[in-house]
């Protein structure tokens, strides 16, 4: 059943943090600092790179709020939100089927 589309989506969503960022933004718009706090372990440079990548493919939009203080928020586009049912299904499957070692949690 593997085809080019399936390979492409897993190459993109399988890139560390992309899928998790989309799932985090499912809760609504968030600023850069908010996303940094929500994703312990992600560096600011990687977060910036991933947000730029998600914006370039049209899954996330970036809005600059005039200041002071100047602010930037990120939110899912319609295309990004369309992925949420698939991400929810994958998360459910993982919780039901992937073993978790004692003392280790799945996720970020």
């Amino acid at each position: 059943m593997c085809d080019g589309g399936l390979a492409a989506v897993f190459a993109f969503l399988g890139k560390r943090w992309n899928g998790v960022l989309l799932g985090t933004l499912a809760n609504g718009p968030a600023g850069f600092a908010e996303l940094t706090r929500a994703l312990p372990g992600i560096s600011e440079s990687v977060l910036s790179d991933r947000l730029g990548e998600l914006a370039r493919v049209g899954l996330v939009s970036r809005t600059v709020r005039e200041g002071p203080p100047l602010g930037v928020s990120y939110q899912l586009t319609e295309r990004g939100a369309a992925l949420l049912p698939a991400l929810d299904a994958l998360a459910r499957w993982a919780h039901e089927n992937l073993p978790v070692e004692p003392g280790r949690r799945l996720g970020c």
Side-chain angles (χ1 to χ4, degrees):
M1 164 154 164
C2 185
D3 67 8
L6 191 57
V9 76
F10 274 101
F12 184 76
L13 291 179
K15 194 171 194 177
R16 185 146 190 218
W17 302 110
N18 278 353
V20 176
L21 265 169
L22 292 171
T24 302
L25 289 171
N27 298 320
F32 192 88
E34 217 176 329
L35 290 168
T36 302
R37 285 190 300 275
L39 301 168
I42 191 169
S43 70
E44 289 185 2
S45 64
V46 169
L47 177 58
S48 180
D49 289 346
R50 295 302 182 265
L51 287 168
E53 183 175 30
L54 292 168
R56 277 190 301 282
V57 297
L59 301 178
V60 170
S61 65
R62 180 180 187 269
T63 304
V64 177
R65 295 183 314 267
E66 296 302 322
L70 185 68
V72 176
S73 67
Y74 300 88
Q75 66 182 41
L76 293 177
T77 62
E78 191 173 314
R79 288 176 63 190
L83 278 170
L84 295 179
L87 293 176
D88 286 340
L90 287 169
R92 269 193 315 278
W93 182 89
H95 287 291
E96 295 168 2
N97 295 286
L98 290 180
V100 178
E101 299 168 16
R104 181 175 169 252
R105 50 172 236 186
L106 289 176
C108 19

